Amino acid sequence: MAKKIEQNKIDKNQTGLSLEHNVAYDDSLLPPAEELRQLKAIEETAVSWIMKRTEIEQDARIKFNFKRLGMAKKEINLSTIVTLVGLLLIFLVIAGIFYFSYDLIVRGHSLEGSIFGSIDVGALLFLINKIRPTKNNH
């Protein structure tokens, strides 16, 4: 819970135009102390009711944040699984093409086998370059 104040100004000297915009954000769950005193003067139980409601609201916010964290964790785990399955499939495809190239060479089609092998090596080098982790500058 914090109080944030923003102030924006536009000033133009030649025409004398000036604009000032002030905004105050207060996401505190409790009203100001002066307002609580006034409410207590009107109704004795108002402050205790507000305090109870504030506790309920705070607990709801905490629960909501934990749900959001759980959803983010599930999404990260799912993304990791999808990435690993993708890498496994890429490996299987590349291994299959290597085997096909080897089989062509063994059967006497050395030119075709060499072409498939070269394309597969090129694809493998491209993927290794693409998958390589990059440094994040935060």
Side-chain angles (χ1 to χ4, degrees):
M1 311 306 153
K3 190 170 191 172
K4 180 181 176 185
I5 298 173
E6 290 182 3
Q7 184 177 22
N8 301 315
K9 289 183 178 182
I10 297 175
D11 190 10
K12 197 169 186 181
N13 292 335
Q14 295 172 347
T15 62
L17 176 66
S18 179
L19 173 69
E20 186 173 327
H21 182 241
N22 295 318
V23 180
Y25 300 101
D26 188 6
D27 65 348
S28 174
L29 297 176
L30 287 173
E34 183 58 38
E35 189 175 328
L36 287 174
R37 274 191 228 98
Q38 291 173 354
L39 287 171
K40 189 171 184 176
I42 296 171
E43 174 65 43
E44 189 69 28
T45 60
V47 174
S48 62
W49 181 83
I50 290 173
M51 296 296 282
K52 239 188 284 179
R53 296 303 303 171
T54 302
E55 284 183 40
I56 292 170
E57 173 68 22
Q58 182 62 31
D59 291 342
R61 286 184 182 194
I62 291 170
K63 187 177 177 182
F64 175 75
N65 286 334
F66 278 127
K67 281 183 181 180
R68 284 180 55 193
L69 286 173
M71 288 172 36
K73 189 175 182 180
K74 284 180 185 178
E75 187 169 335
I76 289 170
N77 290 340
L78 180 63
S79 175
T80 302
I81 289 169
V82 167
T83 301
L84 290 176
V85 168
L87 287 173
L88 178 65
L89 290 174
I90 288 171
F91 172 76
L92 290 175
V93 167
I94 288 175
I97 294 173
F98 270 132
Y99 179 76
F100 182 63
S101 174
Y102 167 77
D103 193 44
L104 283 173
I105 291 172
V106 167
R107 291 182 185 216
H109 304 284
S110 58
L111 178 64
E112 293 87 354
S114 298
I115 291 172
F116 272 105
S118 300
I119 290 172
D120 200 30
V121 168
L124 181 62
L125 291 175
F126 174 76
L127 287 174
I128 289 173
N129 188 35
K130 196 77 168 163
I131 294 172
R132 165 184 78 194
T134 58
K135 292 182 181 178
N136 291 334
N137 297 329
H138 292 284

